[in-house]
Structure formats: C-alpha cells, structure tokens
Amino acid sequence: MKLPLGTRNTLAEIGDISRFTARFFREWGGPRFEVQEFFRQCYMIGNRSLGLVGITGFILGLVMTIQSRPTMAQFGAEDWIPSMVSVSIIREIGPVVIALICAGKIGSGIGAELGSMKVTEQIDAMEVSGTNPFKYLVVTRVWATTFMVPLLVIFADVVAMYGSYLAVNIRGDTSLALFTQQFVDILAFSDVLPAFIKTFFFGFAIGIIGCYKGYTSNKGTEGVGLAANSAVVVASLMVFILDLLAVQITDLLGLT
Amino acid sequence: MESQQHRTDREVVLDVQHLSISFGDNHVLRDFNLQLYRGENLVVLGKSGSGKSVLIKCIIGLLKPDHGQIRVLGQDVIGMSKEELDRMRTRVGFLFQSNALYDSMTVRENLEFPLRRHGRDKSHSEVEALVMEALTNVGLPHTVDLMPSELSGGMRKRVALARTMILKPEIMLYDEPTTGLDPVTSREINDLILKVQQIYKTSSIIISHDMSSVFQTSNRIAVLIDGRCSAEGNYDQLTRNTDPAVQGFFQ
C-alpha cells in the first residue's frame, strides 16, 4: 500500500524532528558548553518577551473576569469569581496562551535567525572556524527557551491576577488583600505543580522546533520565511499536543 | 613572470585525485583531478552550477565526496576525525561567497571568533593586536566596532577576508570573491588577494567566472567542464586553446 504524498512528507518530517531532538540529547551539555551564549540567549528570549507576555497576561485576567461575571451572577456566586478565574488561568489558560504567544514570538525569531544564518553560510563558517554550530546555536537556544518560558508563564500569571483585580472592581468593590487571598487560597499544590511542569515541555518544544526549522532550512531567501512560518505553526500545534498529553497524565495521576 | 618562478619549486600542498560527488542524479564532479603548488594562485574556472563551490567545500571537509582522495598538506582529509579536521582548518582558510559574517556580532567579535577555539592560549592584548593587524592589512582598522550591517558590500568582503586571515592559513580557498561587486571594488579585492599571497606566502584556490579577476589574480587556471578538469595552463596558454567550451570563457 502506498501512502499519499502528504502523509509520507508528514511522517518524514516527524522522523527528522525526532532525529534532531536525539542529536540535541547527544550534544546537550558536556565539555565546550557555550555558557556565555546560553545566558545571552536567556536574556534575549526572556527579557525581550516580557512586555508582550505582560500585556497578554493582563488582558487575559481582565477578559476572563468580565466574561465570567454574568454566568456567576446568575447563580449568585459573584464572590467566587476570583477563585474561578484563578484556577482557570493557573491550571490551563495561562500556560497555553503564553506558550502560544512565545511560539509566535520566540519560535519565529529563532527560525528566521537560524534560517538566515544557514542561507548566508554563517553556520558553515562556524564549523570551519572550529566551533560546533549545533552546540553554539541550537543547544543554547533550546535550553534558554526551556528555562525562560516557565518564568514568563509565572510572570504572566501574576500580571493576570492584577488584570482580574481591576475587572472585579469595575462592577464591584474588593480590596486587593481580600482579592489576593481569594485568588491564592483556592489553589492547591496539585493545581500549580502540573501546570508548572508542563511549561518546561512547552518551552523545550518551542526551542527545538524553531531551531530545527531554521537549522535545516533549504538554501535561498524563500527558505528563511518558510522556516519562520512553519516554526510557528508546528510549535503551536506541539503546544496543544503536549497539553493534551499533560492533561491526560495529570488526570491519570489523580492530581485534579 | 611570477608563474615562471613558482614552476621551479613545485611542492604540492593540495592534491585532489579522482574526486566524484553527486547529489541524486546530478553528477557534479566525476573523476576530478587537481594539484595546488606552494605559493601559487590557482583559479578554477567554470560555469555557474558546475560544481566549483562543491569542490572547495569537499576540500575543507564540509561535504563528503562519494569517491576519490583529497590530501591537504600531506594529510588525507576524507578519513579525518573531528579533531583532525579542526586542526587542518586552522591551516586552510575559506572565504565564503556570501562572506558569512555573523550578523549579531561586531566586526571585532567576528574576527575574534576563530580565535575562541584556536587561540585560547593568547592573552587579551595579543588577541587585540591580531585583530587590529588583520584589519589593518585589509585597510579597515576604523570599522572595528561597527556591525556588519553598517558596512558596504566591498567592506564586508574585506572584513571576511581579515577574519579568515587572522589564523594565518597556509592555503586559502576563495569562493567567488568578486561576485556581486562593482568593477572598481572587484579590482580592490583582487589587489588584496595578491597582497595576501605576498604577505602571508599563501597558496590559493580561487573559484571564479569573472574574467578580469581571473586575468589579474591567476598564476595558473584549471577549467572545470562537465565535472572534469578539461584544460589547464596560464591565461595566455588558455586564450590559444582551441576547445570551443574553453574558448567560450576567453572571448
């Protein structure tokens, strides 16, 4: 039986990404780890996304609160709004939305940067001057996204809380102390930990796919755009797939 | 006259034997042979897509040929380990067609990059001196703190040359050094190639199809047609060649 071309290409792509990931784990650390470049990438990836992630988090909290008010009011449960928003954002919406934003900003950035380096032979030039380009470019970026995305998610969660506080006070009147208490009290360890752990995987996926698309982009300027574009598409899809897996695993472990 | 001089001491520094490489059904090089002698500038002439760049990428170890042997300074490139390749690459410089300057780094950081690995025993002031020496030799010491995007095409080419020369290689491989440059800048780059040959006593392979550059820089020319070295000689000899494929370049 012969598979249709599209299916074959998709399977070949999955195979290539898996091999690329395996190569990452072969070269992930050890001697000649580029420490300085790793910290530079953390700064570039983390710091440069703060504004975008902050605004997204703020709006997320604000909108969630405004949207849930009518339904909650029907049940006379307006007091529960902070708790409900808290659980939805911390457990699910915060990590996923921020990971998607990061896939757009960081994934496309890495894809375009490495893609253009490939096209202009900069990756070959590194190889020729005795620096392993995989270690210098890929390993540092993947570690940087793996550690920075979770931090960005935590930052966004906190900003979302203030957004929610503002929204609660549009119609009602709650002190910040009471609101914060309601927002935090409802959270159990089993809400925070799985959500925190999965963000590492989101970050890893964004990094590895951005790097894969850029590093293996075909020659030509067209390849650069294509690398950036498909990095975002595949990384976003991966975030959802990983989220699906994470939710299933948390459910099986009874952390609900 | 200079070519006459080089003919007297014919020490082979780079020897390519029976090289074949193909990408799918495209047989780029078939049974290609080439020798480079110490101190000479050898131009490899050929049409676009004839496999000239593939040839020098095989020599530097970026591509693996299907068959054949490449000996650089007496060592076999194809069987080399990663470490041996790195060591060989300190003695062989490669000037990329697109310059391959690192966009995210200043000119200084670009020049320091090859020294990260191969000059770790050097102190800060020694590195600084090497950077300035290399930049002065290409006439651009004032650009040291600029970004590559702030430089013109010709300046980028020169900085790329300086970055390659910082390790003082014995063999230079130039991949179409004058492509995309205006005639005046091209001539400056050609002068630099000759200057490099004099100052550093390098032996060079220059990939080109720019005939004025070929005339100016070559001691000897090898013509690559259909994956083989179909003619060889200096500029005057090849202008008298009767093969129509060779004549096509010299008219």
Side-chain angles (χ1 to χ4, degrees):
Chain A
M1 190 188 79
K2 207 165 182 200
L3 290 165
L5 188 68
T7 320
R8 261 185 294 158
N9 285 346
T10 312
L11 290 176
E13 173 107 357
I14 292 171
D16 283 344
I17 294 177
S18 310
R19 263 202 296 272
F20 192 80
T21 312
R23 184 170 174 200
F24 170 80
F25 283 110
R26 274 202 305 277
E27 305 197 21
W28 64 276
R32 300 215 190 105
F33 179 72
E34 306 280 353
V35 183
Q36 208 183 346
E37 179 66 9
F38 166 71
F39 283 112
R40 202 177 74 89
Q41 285 305 323
C42 284
Y43 174 78
M44 303 282 275
I45 288 167
N47 192 53
R48 297 240 172 125
S49 311
L50 270 183
L52 181 72
V53 164
I55 292 169
T56 313
F58 189 79
I59 294 174
L60 205 62
L62 192 85
V63 168
M64 276 287 295
T65 310
I66 296 173
Q67 288 279 36
S68 55
R69 177 179 286 280
T71 321
M72 297 299 267
Q74 273 184 4
F75 297 101
E78 281 152 302
D79 291 354
W80 280 88
I81 291 176
S83 309
M84 202 213 76
V85 171
S86 166
V87 172
S88 349
I89 286 182
I90 304 287
R91 276 190 77 112
E92 184 59 32
I93 301 178
V96 171
V97 170
I98 298 309
L100 289 178
I101 286 281
C102 289
K105 176 157 169 66
I106 302 170
S108 68
I110 293 177
E113 190 189 5
L114 295 196
S116 66
M117 288 187 80
K118 172 93 177 177
V119 170
T120 55
E121 300 175 307
Q122 291 174 48
I123 292 180
D124 282 344
M126 272 187 191
E127 174 98 47
V128 168
S129 53
T131 295
N132 180 344
F134 196 89
K135 274 201 160 165
Y136 189 84
L137 299 171
V138 176
V139 172
T140 53
R141 278 170 177 74
V142 174
W143 279 130
T145 55
T146 308
F147 289 114
M148 288 302 113
V149 169
L151 293 183
L152 289 170
V153 170
I154 292 171
F155 173 70
D157 285 347
V158 174
V159 179
M161 189 182 85
Y162 287 105
S164 178
Y165 171 70
L166 181 72
V168 164
N169 276 294
I170 294 174
R171 290 284 180 85
D173 186 14
T174 312
S175 75
L176 183 61
L178 178 64
F179 175 85
T180 313
Q181 198 191 5
Q182 281 185 312
F183 198 92
V184 176
D185 264 1
I186 188 78
L187 293 172
F189 197 57
S190 60
D191 292 319
V192 179
L193 191 68
F196 181 59
I197 292 174
K198 73 180 173 190
T199 52
F200 283 93
F201 288 92
F202 292 166
F204 180 80
I206 291 167
I208 205 99
I209 292 189
C211 287
Y212 165 77
K213 288 291 179 185
Y215 201 80
T216 59
S217 78
N218 292 319
K219 294 245 162 189
T221 38
E222 201 190 325
V224 180
L226 214 62
N229 177 274
S230 56
V232 178
V233 174
V234 180
S236 307
L237 186 66
M238 275 306 289
V239 166
F240 279 114
I241 294 173
L242 286 172
D243 192 46
L244 177 73
L245 289 173
V247 169
Q248 304 266 345
I249 292 168
T250 348
D251 195 40
L252 280 175
L253 293 175
L255 294 168
T256 44
Chain B
M1 211 169 73
E2 194 148 83
S3 74
Q4 291 302 318
Q5 235 173 34
H6 287 295
R7 258 146 217 288
T8 51
D9 56 308
R10 291 174 73 92
E11 185 200 345
V12 177
V13 286
L14 193 154
D15 187 14
V16 177
Q17 295 284 348
H18 310 297
L19 193 70
S20 300
I21 185 167
S22 41
F23 301 101
D25 289 336
N26 183 12
H27 303 289
V28 179
L29 296 175
R30 328 172 200 195
D31 199 21
F32 185 84
N33 296 296
L34 189 76
Q35 277 81 39
L36 177 70
Y37 301 107
R38 187 170 291 282
E40 75 169 343
N41 277 351
L42 169 66
V43 170
V44 175
L45 190 61
K47 286 195 289 192
S48 304
S50 59
K52 301 176 302 249
S53 297
V54 171
L55 168 70
I56 52 173
K57 283 190 176 162
C58 284
I59 293 172
I60 199 82
L62 284 172
L63 290 172
K64 249 196 161 46
D66 302 333
H67 304 287
Q69 205 187 29
I70 302 170
R71 295 185 75 81
V72 175
L73 300 160
Q75 287 172 300
D76 190 4
V77 173
I78 292 157
M80 273 186 185
S81 69
K82 188 105 191 44
E83 303 295 316
E84 289 172 317
L85 264 180
D86 277 348
R87 227 170 300 137
M88 183 271 283
R89 284 166 178 165
T90 61
R91 304 172 72 188
V92 183
F94 194 116
L95 185 67
F96 287 89
Q97 189 180 347
S98 54
N99 305 330
L101 292 177
Y102 308 123
D103 304 319
S104 57
M105 302 179 198
T106 63
V107 168
R108 183 197 306 276
E109 288 164 334
N110 262 288
L111 265 72
E112 285 169 355
F113 200 88
L115 299 171
R116 282 162 37 94
R117 222 6 244 299
H118 300 303
R120 274 189 296 189
D121 48 334
K122 291 190 172 57
S123 71
H124 190 75
S125 55
E126 281 176 308
V127 169
E128 176 69 20
L130 277 173
V131 167
M132 290 320 288
E133 183 198 338
L135 274 180
T136 310
N137 279 339
V138 297
L140 292 173
H142 55 286
T143 63
V144 69
D145 290 315
L146 296 179
M147 297 300 283
S149 55
E150 297 171 277
L151 305 175
S152 71
M155 287 159 98
R156 279 187 222 181
K157 185 65 77 186
R158 291 199 216 181
V159 171
L161 183 59
R163 185 179 67 182
T164 313
M165 295 314 299
I166 203 158
L167 291 173
K168 303 198 168 62
E170 293 162 54
I171 300 177
M172 271 299 295
L173 307 171
Y174 297 91
D175 192 357
E176 306 202 8
T178 56
T179 299
L181 298 176
D182 63 84
V184 179
T185 315
S186 290
R187 217 167 301 132
E188 287 168 10
I189 298 295
N190 293 336
D191 289 339
L192 264 180
I193 292 175
L194 292 173
K195 192 175 154 194
V196 162
Q197 186 188 18
Q198 275 171 10
I199 299 179
Y200 295 96
K201 307 276 178 258
T202 50
S203 330
S204 314
I205 294 184
I206 303 161
I207 301 292
S208 189
H209 47 56
D210 171 2
M211 290 317 289
S212 61
S213 162
V214 173
F215 178 71
Q216 210 184 332
T217 54
S218 68
N219 300 130
R220 192 160 63 93
I221 303 170
V223 186
L224 200 170
I225 294 169
D226 292 331
R228 289 190 186 85
C229 180
S230 62
E232 199 201 305
N234 64 26
Y235 196 90
D236 289 339
Q237 289 166 339
L238 286 180
T239 43
R240 291 192 296 271
N241 193 300
T242 49
D243 184 346
V246 176
Q247 269 188 341
F249 287 102
F250 289 87
Q251 273 163 3

